Amino acid sequence: MHPLRDKPRVGLFTFAVTAVALLSGCEGSQSALQPAGPAAQDIALLWWWMLGTSAVIVFAVVGLWLYAQFRRPPPASSEQPAPEQAGMRHTAAVDRIIARRWLIGGGLILPTVTMVVLLAFGIPMGHRMLPLPLPEAPLRIEVTGHQWWWEVHYPEQGITTANQIHIPAGRPVDFHLASADVIHAFWVPQLGGKLDMIPGRTNVLRLQADAPGRFRGQCAEFCGLQHARMRFTVEALPEEAFAQWVAARQADEARPVRDAGAPSAQVFEAHCSQCHSVAGTPATGGPDLRHLHSRTLLGAGTLRHDGDGLQRWLREHQHLKPGNHMPAHDHLDDDTLSALVDWLRRQQ
Ligand code: HEC
Ligand SMILES: [Cu+2]
């Protein structure tokens, strides 16, 4: 067979492989195309409409371009019978009118109509996502972005935690978003968003999960070296389970430090307490450790919090998440660290 005959197949194969590779990014717990709440549903619908509209326009423009490239050229003037002077002027005038029609139709009317239609879709959707007053006030959660972790505060429940957000399913939640250092952006693709977290300002984002489930969130504004490892999880719980979660966290908050006289308590006091808290005072320089035991991931999604996860984090965190703002504790030997891990576990 002539090698050129295979060309379309090679092209098709390449297209298919690329499409599979690209489209696989549209699935999973961090996909805006698998909406799990009203805001995300609207965004996904708008996205599909915009994709469809722009696809039609791209195909039309490419079609016209191909037509212009390959249409038969007008016969050379030398082969033509010498036209009348008036006739020449006439065709030139018609050409001008046609060109002007394309210009006005394709360059002014079409974009105006397309934009108006998309805006007519988009503006009411954007309006529905605004945190407007509701008959029953939504749950309020304050999230502060830090390089590179998330501080999560429930003012009405008196709970401060990090990197893992629990919400009740089927109820709107207002996220009050702020930043402690640089600009971050709060994004839970399956629930909606994203919204910037700007130093010195609080932005409010209303989200809702329609059903219980676990969703991934990610910082969506480049904020420095470990921006990619600035993740969080959102757990949407049935109403009753959420109430239980709140009660358990409130018990964590009220609990005094256990084994306060142990040597590890002094190690913690000397090396960790300026940034972390295990009881009482709220955490400031690093993620809160009172609710550490309830988190499934460490280091804002860097590693699993199971088995020796905590030990590994304390020993290797500058290797696992280089440049993060927790100092390496190389001066603490393995035994001291193990004892510290046990002591932290006993705080649960
Ligand atoms: C200078 C402030 C500072 C000191 C001191 C410090 N940390 Fe941290 N710690 C942080 C920061 C910041 C993070 C978040 C790192 C990240 O994910 O980017 C963190 C993260 C952690 C985490 C992971 C929490 C989570 O939910 O992801 C644990 C556990 C932890 N630190 C324990 C300790 C212990 C134990 C000590 C004392 C030996 C200590 N830290 C000392 C700032 C500090
Ligand atoms: Cu970021």
Side-chain angles (χ1 to χ4, degrees), residues 12-212:
L12 204 66
F13 179 74
T14 318
F15 174 76
V17 169
T18 320
V20 166
L22 288 177
L23 291 176
S24 60
C26 301
E27 238 187 275
S29 60
Q30 206 167 312
S31 168
L33 298 182
Q34 290 190 339
Q41 234 134 32
D42 277 359
I43 291 171
L45 182 69
L46 190 64
W47 188 88
W48 282 111
W49 270 100
M50 286 173 79
L51 180 72
T53 314
S54 49
V56 168
I57 293 173
V58 165
F59 281 122
V61 169
V62 171
L64 282 172
W65 178 77
L66 287 175
Y67 170 74
Q69 292 297 308
F70 294 113
R71 79 179 166 154
R72 209 177 300 157
S77 56
S78 62
E79 290 162 18
Q80 272 181 339
E84 293 275 325
Q85 194 73 0
M88 274 272 282
R89 231 182 280 141
H90 177 76
T91 38
V94 168
D95 276 357
R96 255 205 309 277
I97 291 172
I98 293 177
R100 196 174 301 156
R101 277 190 189 159
W102 273 108
L103 218 71
I104 294 174
L108 284 176
I109 298 175
L110 182 70
T112 311
V113 170
T114 318
M115 295 308 283
V116 166
V117 169
L118 285 178
L119 281 178
F121 257 112
I123 290 177
M125 279 183 184
H127 195 254
R128 277 206 295 283
M129 286 175 215
L130 291 180
L132 301 173
L134 290 180
E136 200 192 331
L139 174 69
R140 180 189 173 115
I141 303 180
E142 294 167 0
V143 183
T144 307
H146 294 257
Q147 281 176 320
W148 291 277
W149 59 280
W150 309 83
E151 183 183 335
V152 182
H153 181 56
Y154 296 70
E156 285 138 26
Q157 288 73 18
I159 299 167
T160 302
T161 177
N163 298 338
Q164 203 169 18
I165 305 175
H166 287 72
I167 60 170
R171 224 202 311 159
V173 178
D174 278 358
F175 290 95
H176 291 246
L177 306 173
S179 167
D181 36 48
V182 300
I183 301 179
H184 303 275
F186 183 90
W187 193 26
V188 192
Q190 283 190 279
L191 298 184
K194 54 200 142 184
L195 199 60
D196 277 1
M197 310 171 97
I198 296 168
R201 221 196 116 83
T202 302
N203 287 331
V204 183
L205 179 68
R206 180 169 297 163
L207 296 178
Q208 177 180 324
D210 286 336

Side-chain angles (χ1 to χ4, degrees), residues 199-325:
R201 221 196 116 83
T202 302
N203 287 331
V204 183
L205 179 68
R206 180 169 297 163
L207 296 178
Q208 177 180 324
D210 286 336
R214 170 186 278 220
F215 311 102
R216 266 180 66 168
Q218 166 76 50
C219 178
E221 179 74 47
F222 181 73
C223 57
L225 191 61
Q226 288 299 346
H227 163 64
R229 289 199 192 91
M230 186 169 164
R231 304 184 201 124
F232 60 100
T233 39
V234 176
E235 306 261 1
L237 301 173
E239 199 68 51
E240 207 161 284
F242 178 72
Q244 281 167 8
W245 178 85
V246 168
R249 296 292 77 79
Q250 283 170 338
D252 279 346
E253 299 266 345
R255 166 197 78 202
V257 183
R258 296 188 182 133
D259 283 342
S264 291
Q266 279 141 37
V267 175
F268 189 86
E269 189 58 40
H271 297 281
C272 323
S273 64
Q274 69 269 40
C275 297
H276 296 290
S277 116
V278 286
T281 53
T284 47
D288 147 273
L289 298 184
R290 277 166 296 187
H291 311 288
L292 181 66
H293 62 102
S294 72
R295 291 204 272 280
T296 49
L297 298 167
L298 292 174
T302 302
L303 79 164
R304 286 193 174 286
H305 185 197
D306 54 11
D308 61 349
L310 188 52
Q311 179 103 14
R312 277 192 63 203
W313 173 261
L314 293 188
R315 181 46 81 215
E316 307 168 35
H317 64 90
Q318 280 302 341
H319 171 71
L320 298 163
K321 189 171 178 178
N324 84 76
H325 291 329

